[in-house]
Amino acid sequence: MLFEFFIAKKHIFEHKKQSFIGLLGIAIGIIVLTVSIGISNGLNKNMIESILSLSSHITVIGNENIKNFTELENIFLKYPQVKGVIPKVSTQGIIKYNGILGTHVSGVKLEGMDLKQAIPALNLENKIKHGSVDLDNKKGILIGEELFNRLGARLGDPISVISANNKELKLEIMGTFQSGYYDYDLSMVILPLKTAQYITERDNTVSSLDLILKNPYTAEIISNKIYEDTGLYNRTWGSLNQNLLKALNLEKTVMVIGFSLIVLIAGFVVWVILNTMVREKIRYIGIMRSMGISHSSIVKIFLIQGIILGFIGIILGVFISLFLLWYIKTYSLPEISSIYYLSKVPVELSAKELFIIIAANIVLIFLSSIFPAYKAGKLKIVEALRHD
């Protein structure tokens, strides 16, 4: 094996330009595929986290307004996977604000929450941009930072909220939140639960119970358990956002297929380089065969040559990819941050995905090397020596 390795290494150094092109092709293929998957995963995860920042993982609706929500809350809190339960009244409404920019009227989504439960379950205090959450202030509301800026409002300003059944209530802005999801920050208003019950004339009932889980990806299991235990109709965040999730998966699939073509081209480049070397070395192969070098040794020489190129290209590509992902994740890019609703580009790459990329490239390089190597090995001595 040392003999074959020595000859393979000699061939690589004799054809430095072709070898460098092969290495570069393999490295570029891995870099493009790895970095694109890492950024795509990060953006998808960031979008899902933004959507779930102020929404539930499971929404228990029931068949009508839920009256015994306190009893159900105690039942659900006994589930070890549940982080918190938030009684909620959700409805559409209108806000009316008179400020320095004039009168502003717009439609909003009114979310009446038990703020005492929402603070630990949703990490609500971490999302407060200005002001604070006063549990004793039943007239205080939280509005999104985008809506706050659009109104030109100030903390403590009076604001009118009109419910869907045309009931108007004078409230005040006690704080603003930034969820990371633009639609929430522009069109959501959070009210204390008692205030929402009053303005919607619900008495002591809620429209839903929102369950926040420790792991949102276990929602389907918990949803089935809730139905078995209580018989209440409920929806998971996955079913509510299934069209978005399907679109994200389709987008990622198309992207991976597209960028995989670069990897295939890199494998083709290795095949062309080795095939060219075999044709250039036909007479050289004939001499080695006449000296007693076996068929298998000739195959090994060119196979090792391809594996060396592939191995170095893969290592180079992986290191550069991980460095680029680290740089993108660590340092913000002003151009991207100014366009998208995020401060830094999120990156997410699992060890499993990296292993699959490396394994796929190893298989591709092996297949690209084995055919030229086999072609070199099956050359007949007389024909090789006659080759000019």
Side-chain angles (χ1 to χ4, degrees), residues 50-56 88-95 106-113 115 118 122 124 127 141-148 151 159 161 173 175-191 210:
S50 298
I51 292 172
L52 296 178
S53 61
L54 287 176
S55 63
S56 64
K88 183 189 280 188
V89 172
S90 298
T91 185
Q92 298 294 321
I94 297 173
I95 59 165
S106 65
V108 293
K109 185 178 182 181
L110 301 177
E111 296 282 7
M113 300 181 184
L115 295 177
L122 295 173
L124 190 58
K127 297 178 177 68
I141 65 170
L142 299 170
I143 67 174
E145 182 71 13
E146 296 292 334
L147 179 59
F148 183 73
L151 294 175
I159 188 170
V161 176
I173 302 171
T176 68
F177 61 84
Q178 189 170 43
S179 65
Y181 189 53
Y182 183 78
D183 286 350
Y184 290 165
D185 295 347
L186 183 64
S187 59
M188 181 184 286
V189 173
I190 298 177
L191 298 80
D210 285 7

Coordinates of all heavy atoms in Angstrom, one line a residue, residues 50-56 88-95 106-113 115 118 122 124 127 141-148 151 159 161 173 175-191 210:
S50 N -40.2 33.2 16.2 CA -40.8 34.5 16.2 C -42.4 34.3 16.2 O -43.1 35.0 16.9 CB -40.4 35.3 14.9 OG -39.0 35.5 14.9
I51 N -42.8 33.3 15.4 CA -44.3 33.1 15.4 C -44.8 32.6 16.7 O -45.8 32.9 17.2 CB -44.6 32.0 14.3 CG1 -44.4 32.7 12.9 CG2 -46.0 31.5 14.4 CD1 -44.5 31.7 11.7
L52 N -43.9 31.7 17.4 CA -44.3 31.2 18.7 C -44.0 32.1 19.9 O -44.3 31.7 21.0 CB -43.6 29.8 18.9 CG -44.0 28.7 17.9 CD1 -43.2 27.4 18.2 CD2 -45.5 28.4 17.9
S53 N -43.4 33.2 19.6 CA -43.0 34.1 20.7 C -44.1 34.5 21.6 O -44.0 34.7 22.8 CB -42.2 35.3 20.2 OG -43.0 36.1 19.3
L54 N -45.3 34.8 20.9 CA -46.4 35.3 21.7 C -47.7 34.5 21.4 O -48.8 34.9 21.6 CB -46.7 36.8 21.4 CG -45.8 37.8 22.0 CD1 -46.1 39.2 21.5 CD2 -45.7 37.7 23.5
S55 N -47.5 33.3 20.8 CA -48.6 32.4 20.6 C -48.3 31.0 21.3 O -47.2 30.7 21.7 CB -48.8 32.2 19.1 OG -47.7 31.6 18.5
S56 N -49.4 30.2 21.3 CA -49.3 29.0 22.1 C -48.8 27.9 21.2 O -48.8 27.9 20.0 CB -50.7 28.6 22.6 OG -51.5 28.4 21.5
K88 N -57.1 32.8 27.9 CA -57.1 33.9 27.0 C -58.4 34.1 26.4 O -59.3 33.2 26.2 CB -56.1 33.5 25.9 CG -55.9 34.6 24.8 CD -55.1 34.1 23.6 CE -53.6 34.1 24.0 NZ -52.8 33.8 22.7
V89 N -58.7 35.4 26.1 CA -59.8 35.9 25.3 C -59.3 36.6 24.1 O -58.6 37.6 24.1 CB -60.7 36.9 26.1 CG1 -61.8 37.5 25.2 CG2 -61.3 36.2 27.3
S90 N -59.5 36.0 22.9 CA -59.0 36.5 21.6 C -60.2 37.0 20.8 O -61.2 36.3 20.7 CB -58.3 35.4 20.8 OG -57.1 35.0 21.6
T91 N -60.0 38.2 20.2 CA -61.0 38.8 19.4 C -60.4 39.9 18.5 O -59.3 40.3 18.7 CB -62.2 39.4 20.2 OG1 -63.2 39.8 19.4 CG2 -61.7 40.6 21.1
Q92 N -61.2 40.2 17.5 CA -60.8 41.4 16.6 C -61.3 42.7 17.2 O -62.4 42.7 17.8 CB -61.2 41.2 15.2 CG -60.7 39.9 14.5 CD -59.2 40.0 14.3 OE1 -58.7 41.0 14.0 NE2 -58.5 38.9 14.5
G93 N -60.6 43.7 17.0 CA -61.1 45.0 17.5 C -60.5 46.2 16.8 O -59.8 46.0 15.8
I94 N -60.7 47.4 17.2 CA -60.2 48.6 16.6 C -59.6 49.5 17.7 O -60.2 49.5 18.9 CB -61.4 49.4 15.9 CG1 -61.9 48.5 14.8 CG2 -60.9 50.7 15.4 CD1 -63.1 49.2 14.1
I95 N -58.5 50.1 17.4 CA -57.9 51.1 18.4 C -58.1 52.5 17.8 O -58.0 52.6 16.5 CB -56.5 50.8 18.7 CG1 -55.6 50.8 17.4 CG2 -56.3 49.5 19.5 CD1 -54.1 50.9 17.7
S106 N -57.2 52.0 13.5 CA -56.7 50.8 12.8 C -57.3 49.5 13.4 O -57.6 49.5 14.6 CB -55.2 50.7 12.7 OG -54.7 50.5 14.0
G107 N -57.4 48.5 12.6 CA -57.9 47.2 13.1 C -56.7 46.4 13.8 O -55.6 46.5 13.3
V108 N -57.0 45.8 14.9 CA -56.0 45.0 15.6 C -56.5 43.7 16.1 O -57.8 43.5 16.1 CB -55.4 45.8 16.8 CG1 -54.7 47.1 16.4 CG2 -56.6 46.2 17.8
K109 N -55.6 42.9 16.6 CA -56.0 41.6 17.2 C -55.9 41.8 18.7 O -54.8 42.1 19.2 CB -55.1 40.5 16.8 CG -55.6 39.1 17.3 CD -54.7 38.0 16.8 CE -55.2 36.7 17.4 NZ -54.3 35.5 17.0
L110 N -57.0 41.7 19.4 CA -57.1 41.9 20.9 C -56.8 40.6 21.6 O -57.5 39.6 21.3 CB -58.4 42.5 21.3 CG -58.8 43.8 20.7 CD1 -60.2 44.2 21.2 CD2 -57.8 44.9 21.1
E111 N -55.8 40.5 22.4 CA -55.4 39.3 23.1 C -55.5 39.6 24.6 O -54.7 40.2 25.2 CB -54.0 38.8 22.8 CG -53.8 38.4 21.3 CD -54.3 37.1 21.0 OE1 -55.0 36.5 21.9 OE2 -54.1 36.6 19.9
G112 N -56.6 39.1 25.2 CA -56.8 39.2 26.7 C -56.1 38.1 27.4 O -56.5 36.9 27.2
M113 N -55.1 38.3 28.2 CA -54.3 37.2 28.8 C -54.3 37.4 30.3 O -54.4 38.6 30.8 CB -52.9 37.2 28.3 CG -52.7 37.0 26.9 SD -50.9 37.0 26.5 CE -50.9 36.9 24.7
L115 N -52.1 37.9 32.7 CA -50.7 38.4 32.6 C -49.8 37.7 33.7 O -48.6 37.5 33.4 CB -50.6 39.9 32.7 CG -51.3 40.7 31.6 CD1 -51.2 42.2 31.9 CD2 -50.6 40.4 30.3
A118 N -48.9 34.7 32.0 CA -48.1 34.9 30.7 C -46.7 35.3 30.9 O -45.8 35.0 30.1 CB -48.9 36.0 29.9
L122 N -44.5 32.9 28.7 CA -44.0 33.5 27.4 C -42.7 34.3 27.6 O -42.3 34.9 26.6 CB -45.1 34.4 26.9 CG -46.4 33.8 26.4 CD1 -47.4 34.8 26.1 CD2 -46.2 32.8 25.3
L124 N -42.5 37.0 29.0 CA -43.1 38.3 28.5 C -42.2 39.5 28.9 O -42.1 40.4 28.1 CB -44.5 38.5 29.1 CG -45.3 39.6 28.5 CD1 -45.4 39.5 27.0 CD2 -46.7 39.7 29.1
K127 N -39.6 40.5 26.5 CA -40.0 41.0 25.3 C -40.5 42.5 25.4 O -40.8 43.1 24.4 CB -41.1 40.2 24.7 CG -40.7 38.7 24.4 CD -41.8 37.9 23.8 CE -41.4 36.5 23.4 NZ -41.0 35.7 24.6
I141 N -52.5 48.6 28.8 CA -52.4 47.6 27.8 C -51.0 47.7 27.2 O -50.2 48.6 27.4 CB -53.4 47.9 26.6 CG1 -53.1 49.3 25.9 CG2 -54.8 47.9 27.1 CD1 -53.9 49.5 24.7
L142 N -50.6 46.6 26.5 CA -49.3 46.5 25.9 C -49.6 46.5 24.3 O -50.4 45.7 23.9 CB -48.6 45.2 26.3 CG -48.2 45.0 27.7 CD1 -47.7 43.6 28.0 CD2 -47.2 46.0 28.2
I143 N -48.8 47.3 23.6 CA -49.0 47.3 22.2 C -47.6 47.0 21.5 O -46.5 47.2 22.2 CB -49.5 48.6 21.6 CG1 -48.5 49.8 21.9 CG2 -50.9 49.0 22.3 CD1 -48.9 51.1 21.2
G144 N -47.6 46.5 20.3 CA -46.4 46.2 19.6 C -45.5 47.5 19.4 O -46.0 48.6 19.2
E145 N -44.2 47.3 19.3 CA -43.3 48.4 19.1 C -43.5 49.1 17.8 O -43.4 50.3 17.7 CB -41.8 47.9 19.2 CG -40.8 48.9 19.1 CD -40.7 49.8 20.3 OE1 -41.2 49.5 21.3 OE2 -40.0 50.9 20.1
E146 N -43.8 48.3 16.7 CA -44.1 48.9 15.4 C -45.3 49.8 15.4 O -45.3 50.9 14.9 CB -44.2 47.8 14.4 CG -42.9 47.0 14.1 CD -41.8 47.8 13.5 OE1 -42.1 48.8 12.8 OE2 -40.7 47.4 13.7
L147 N -46.3 49.3 16.1 CA -47.6 50.1 16.2 C -47.4 51.3 17.0 O -47.9 52.4 16.7 CB -48.7 49.2 16.8 CG -50.1 49.9 17.0 CD1 -50.6 50.4 15.7 CD2 -51.0 48.9 17.7
F148 N -46.6 51.2 18.1 CA -46.3 52.3 19.0 C -45.6 53.4 18.2 O -45.9 54.6 18.3 CB -45.4 51.8 20.1 CG -45.0 52.8 21.1 CD1 -45.9 53.3 22.1 CD2 -43.7 53.3 21.2 CE1 -45.6 54.2 23.0 CE2 -43.3 54.3 22.1 CZ -44.3 54.7 23.1
L151 N -47.9 55.1 15.7 CA -48.9 56.1 16.3 C -48.2 57.3 16.8 O -48.8 58.4 16.9 CB -49.5 55.4 17.6 CG -50.4 54.2 17.3 CD1 -50.9 53.6 18.7 CD2 -51.6 54.6 16.5
I159 N -55.8 55.7 25.1 CA -56.1 55.0 23.8 C -57.4 54.3 24.0 O -57.7 53.7 25.0 CB -55.0 54.1 23.4 CG1 -55.2 53.6 22.0 CG2 -54.9 52.9 24.4 CD1 -54.0 52.8 21.4
V161 N -60.1 51.5 22.9 CA -60.2 50.1 22.3 C -61.7 49.8 22.1 O -62.5 49.9 23.0 CB -59.6 49.1 23.2 CG1 -59.8 47.7 22.6 CG2 -58.1 49.4 23.4
I173 N -51.7 53.2 27.5 CA -50.5 52.4 27.1 C -49.5 52.3 28.2 O -48.9 53.3 28.7 CB -49.8 53.1 25.9 CG1 -50.8 53.2 24.7 CG2 -48.6 52.3 25.4 CD1 -50.3 54.1 23.5
G175 N -47.0 49.9 28.2 CA -45.7 49.3 27.7 C -45.8 48.9 26.3 O -46.9 48.8 25.7
T176 N -44.7 48.6 25.7 CA -44.6 48.1 24.3 C -43.8 46.8 24.4 O -42.9 46.6 25.2 CB -44.0 49.1 23.4 OG1 -42.6 49.2 23.7 CG2 -44.6 50.4 23.4
F177 N -44.1 45.9 23.4 CA -43.4 44.6 23.3 C -42.8 44.5 21.9 O -43.3 45.1 20.9 CB -44.3 43.4 23.6 CG -45.4 43.3 22.7 CD1 -45.3 42.6 21.5 CD2 -46.7 43.8 23.0 CE1 -46.4 42.5 20.6 CE2 -47.8 43.7 22.2 CZ -47.6 43.0 21.0
Q178 N -41.7 43.7 21.8 CA -41.1 43.4 20.5 C -40.9 41.9 20.5 O -40.1 41.3 21.1 CB -39.8 44.1 20.3 CG -39.2 44.0 18.9 CD -38.0 44.9 18.6 OE1 -37.2 45.0 19.5 NE2 -38.0 45.5 17.5
S179 N -41.8 41.2 19.7 CA -41.8 39.8 19.6 C -40.8 39.2 18.7 O -40.4 38.0 18.8 CB -43.2 39.3 19.2 OG -43.5 39.7 17.9
G180 N -40.4 40.0 17.7 CA -39.5 39.5 16.6 C -40.3 39.1 15.4 O -39.7 38.8 14.3
Y181 N -41.6 39.1 15.5 CA -42.5 38.8 14.4 C -43.3 40.1 14.0 O -44.1 40.6 14.8 CB -43.5 37.7 14.7 CG -44.3 37.1 13.6 CD1 -43.7 36.7 12.4 CD2 -45.7 37.1 13.7 CE1 -44.4 36.2 11.4 CE2 -46.4 36.5 12.6 CZ -45.8 36.1 11.5 OH -46.5 35.6 10.4
Y182 N -43.0 40.6 12.8 CA -43.5 41.9 12.4 C -45.0 42.1 12.5 O -45.5 43.1 13.0 CB -43.1 42.2 11.0 CG -43.5 43.6 10.5 CD1 -42.7 44.7 10.9 CD2 -44.6 43.8 9.6 CE1 -43.1 46.0 10.4 CE2 -44.9 45.0 9.2 CZ -44.1 46.1 9.6 OH -44.5 47.4 9.2
D183 N -45.8 41.0 12.1 CA -47.3 41.2 12.2 C -47.8 41.3 13.6 O -48.7 42.1 13.9 CB -47.9 39.9 11.6 CG -47.8 39.9 10.1 OD1 -47.4 40.9 9.5 OD2 -48.1 38.9 9.4
Y184 N -47.1 40.6 14.6 CA -47.5 40.8 16.0 C -47.2 42.2 16.5 O -48.0 42.8 17.1 CB -46.8 39.8 16.9 CG -47.2 38.3 16.7 CD1 -46.4 37.3 17.2 CD2 -48.4 38.0 16.0 CE1 -46.8 36.0 17.1 CE2 -48.7 36.7 15.9 CZ -47.9 35.7 16.4 OH -48.3 34.4 16.3
D185 N -46.0 42.7 16.1 CA -45.6 44.0 16.6 C -46.4 45.1 16.0 O -46.4 46.3 16.5 CB -44.1 44.2 16.3 CG -43.3 43.2 17.1 OD1 -43.8 42.5 18.0 OD2 -42.1 43.1 16.8
L186 N -47.0 44.9 14.9 CA -47.8 45.9 14.2 C -49.3 45.9 14.5 O -49.9 46.9 14.5 CB -47.6 45.8 12.7 CG -48.2 46.9 11.8 CD1 -47.7 48.3 12.1 CD2 -48.1 46.6 10.3
S187 N -49.8 44.7 14.8 CA -51.3 44.6 14.9 C -51.8 43.8 16.1 O -53.0 43.4 16.1 CB -51.8 43.9 13.6 OG -51.3 42.7 13.4
M188 N -51.0 43.6 17.1 CA -51.5 42.9 18.3 C -51.5 43.9 19.5 O -50.6 44.7 19.7 CB -50.6 41.7 18.6 CG -51.1 40.9 19.8 SD -49.9 39.6 20.3 CE -50.3 38.4 19.0
V189 N -52.6 43.8 20.3 CA -52.7 44.5 21.5 C -53.0 43.5 22.6 O -53.9 42.7 22.5 CB -53.8 45.5 21.4 CG1 -54.1 46.2 22.8 CG2 -53.5 46.6 20.4
I190 N -52.2 43.6 23.7 CA -52.4 42.6 24.8 C -53.1 43.4 26.0 O -52.6 44.5 26.4 CB -51.0 42.1 25.3 CG1 -50.4 41.3 24.2 CG2 -51.2 41.2 26.6 CD1 -49.0 40.8 24.5
L191 N -54.2 42.8 26.4 CA -55.0 43.4 27.5 C -55.0 42.4 28.7 O -54.8 41.2 28.6 CB -56.4 43.6 27.1 CG -56.8 44.6 26.0 CD1 -56.6 43.9 24.6 CD2 -58.2 45.0 26.1
D210 N -54.3 28.6 26.3 CA -53.0 28.4 25.6 C -52.0 27.7 26.4 O -51.6 28.1 27.5 CB -52.5 29.8 25.2 CG -53.3 30.4 24.0 OD1 -54.3 29.8 23.7 OD2 -52.9 31.5 23.5

